[in-house]
Amino acid sequence: MAIQANSVSDAFTQMKALLSSVVPEAELRIKAELVYEILKKKDERGAIILGHNYMEPALFHTVPDLVGDSLGLSQAAAKTDRNPIVFCGVKFMAETAKILSPEKTVLLPAKEAGCSLAAAITAQDVLDLKEMFPGAPVITYVNTYADVKAVTDICCTSSNASQVMRSIDSRQALFLPDEYLSSNVARELGKSIAIAFRGPNGSLEIEGDPAADIIGWRGRCEVHEQFTVDDIANARKQFPDVAVISHPECTPEVVAASDYAGSTTKLVEYVKKSHSKRFLILTECSMGDNIIAENPDKDILRLCSVRCPHMNQITLEDTLHALQADEQLIELPEDIRKAAYRSVERMIQIGPQKD
Ligand code: 13P
Ligand code: SF4
């Protein structure tokens, strides 16, 4: 996937051919120098660069050896024997790579690249929920930190959430921490859901019937919660032929009003395969640019005020710096890593959802 360049001007020529529809030429010229330096350093060190679908176009289309969604990148991280792994994504993703490859150096090219979902729940929240719902298995979205994964039974991503839920042999399950992903799964599987949260005095409270099939958690993605059914109605009014596709971190109302919902990779594939010519893509806005660059014959409408501030922390400058100075090193206590490994590995065994 990464480009092969033997000089800065070679890198620039290739980047221009790939990206001139989405990145101004002056910016490409500056970034070509960084890209060339990163490619050289990567080869020198025998490193592998993994890039999430939300990386900005000049990074996404140039330096990663593998690009994809959370599940694809977790699997890639598990299989690679190259070292170090440079994870161009947010911290929970780099932690997943470390969970699966403890003997390797894992680098995150940003000082802070968080996630509002990962920040929404702590290991203590999960332990308190387990006490409240004894015996209910715990499924956690991979958008959580290692200590949270360590106290759960199985992880899931947006591309296998329903499949993981179906694999659970229990009347009731905890599905944490994304309120909307769990509600979308409940809707798809015809299950009832109640949402747990911390009340003002810190005690656990439940909105809905505590006997519901699924107990979710009040965590939300700060990007996807911003999309509304009005955005969809307005786009359909102006462009009646538009295909609306959304990420399952959007509200159930937005997902229900969309033509298709899926993980970031599934949205990319949908655009490639669809006969529609025009799309509204309700997800992080760099992915829209990445799709435009690969599908010049399609018209992509975007609501581009919604860049993930955490994904936005990952830059070409910091990717180069990470490779040069081994920064930021991801490290995990071994007992937490081992316990988290079990939950991630169980998910990987289940694999992606069959549509
Ligand atoms: P994917 O698993 O679909 O790549 O999503 C990750 C994410 O952070 C979405 O906001
Ligand atoms: Fe987290 Fe949302 Fe950013 Fe994805 S887009 S990393 S879920 S804040």
Side-chain angles (χ1 to χ4, degrees):
M1 184 76 195
I3 62 168
Q4 303 285 327
N6 51 34
S7 64
V8 174
S9 74
D10 183 19
F12 172 68
T13 309
Q14 293 185 55
M15 287 168 72
K16 203 170 139 192
L18 286 166
L19 300 168
S20 57
S21 58
V22 286
V23 188
E25 190 169 319
E27 193 179 321
L28 285 178
R29 218 173 266 289
I30 298 165
K31 291 191 169 169
E33 289 182 29
L34 287 163
V35 166
Y36 179 63
E37 289 305 318
I38 292 169
L39 294 174
K40 262 200 321 192
K41 197 77 197 159
K42 179 173 68 137
D43 282 353
E44 236 171 78
R45 293 201 62 186
I48 184 165
I49 301 184
L50 306 178
H52 186 263
N53 289 324
Y54 289 164
M55 291 298 100
E56 59 113 348
L59 188 158
F60 181 82
H61 292 273
T62 56
V63 295
D65 300 283
L66 293 162
V67 293
D69 60 10
S70 295
L71 180 64
L73 294 176
S74 304
Q75 287 170 319
K79 282 185 198 143
T80 179
D81 43 7
R82 277 196 268 159
N83 191 15
I85 298 172
V86 181
F87 212 119
C88 293
V90 289
K91 188 173 174 199
F92 74 79
M93 296 179 172
E95 279 194 357
T96 304
K98 187 69 183 176
I99 289 167
L100 293 167
S101 303
E103 73 293 354
K104 294 191 195 120
T105 301
V106 177
L107 303 169
L108 176 69
K111 287 211 168 42
E112 225 7 275
C115 168
S116 65
L117 280 171
I121 195 158
T122 64
Q124 191 58 52
D125 293 330
V126 181
L127 294 173
D128 291 352
L129 281 165
K130 279 175 146 178
E131 216 175 287
M132 198 175 208
F133 297 93
V138 186
I139 305 170
T140 45
Y141 194 28
V142 284
N143 294 36
T144 45
Y145 293 118
D147 59 339
V148 168
K149 290 184 173 85
V151 289
T152 66
D153 295 297
I154 185 166
C155 289
C156 74
T157 72
S158 58
S159 62
N160 62 11
S162 316
Q163 187 140 325
V164 169
M165 188 65 214
R166 277 198 205 98
S167 77
I168 296 295
D169 185 19
S170 167
R171 197 208 57 79
Q172 190 177 48
L174 302 172
F175 192 126
L176 316 168
D178 186 349
E179 173 179 352
Y180 296 144
L181 179 67
S182 56
S183 302
N184 283 314
V185 168
R187 186 172 149 264
E188 187 187 332
L189 302 183
K191 291 185 180 286
S192 56
I193 183 162
I195 303 295
F197 60 97
R198 290 267 175 210
N201 62 0
S203 64
L204 277 185
E205 296 188 18
I206 309 288
E207 186 182 276
D209 180 0
D213 301 327
I214 298 178
I215 304 297
W217 181 253
R218 180 137 305 149
R220 295 173 184 171
C221 164
E222 67 192 270
V223 173
H224 292 91
E225 71 173 352
Q226 293 183 50
F227 299 117
T228 65
V229 284
D230 280 350
D231 295 331
I232 299 179
N234 291 338
R236 289 202 196 278
K237 199 165 152 199
Q238 199 180 351
F239 303 104
D241 63 338
V242 73
V244 179
I245 62 176
S246 59
H247 194 279
E249 288 170 11
C250 294
T251 66
E253 294 75 23
V254 163
V255 168
S258 303
D259 298 300
Y260 178 77
S263 72
T264 54
T265 296
K266 286 193 178 162
L267 298 180
V268 172
E269 284 165 3
Y270 185 93
V271 174
K272 267 189 204 142
K273 287 188 193 147
S274 166
H275 296 300
S276 302
K277 282 273 166 255
R278 204 190 303 273
F279 300 84
L280 175 67
I281 306 179
L282 298 177
T283 192
E284 209 283 333
C285 68
S286 273
M287 203 175 94
D289 286 336
N290 291 330
I291 293 179
I292 291 173
E294 282 175 10
N295 300 273
D297 57 322
K298 311 234 167 161
D299 187 7
I300 316 284
L301 317 175
R302 284 161 306 140
L303 297 172
C304 238
S305 48
V306 269
R307 178 87 175 100
C308 170
H310 312 289
M311 292 282 181
N312 202 28
Q313 301 291 315
I314 313 295
T315 62
L316 285 166
E317 285 85 347
D318 282 348
T319 304
L320 179 59
H321 188 63
L323 274 166
Q324 285 168 333
D326 271 354
E327 284 188 51
Q328 310 287 320
L329 270 180
I330 299 291
E331 282 173 303
L332 297 171
E334 187 55 10
D335 55 335
I336 288 188
R337 188 204 66 79
K338 271 195 183 143
Y341 176 86
R342 280 193 290 276
S343 305
V344 177
E345 189 51 33
R346 268 187 208 132
M347 168 192 77
I348 287 181
Q349 293 310 321
I350 290 181
Q353 208 140 293
K354 292 152 195 84
D355 292 311

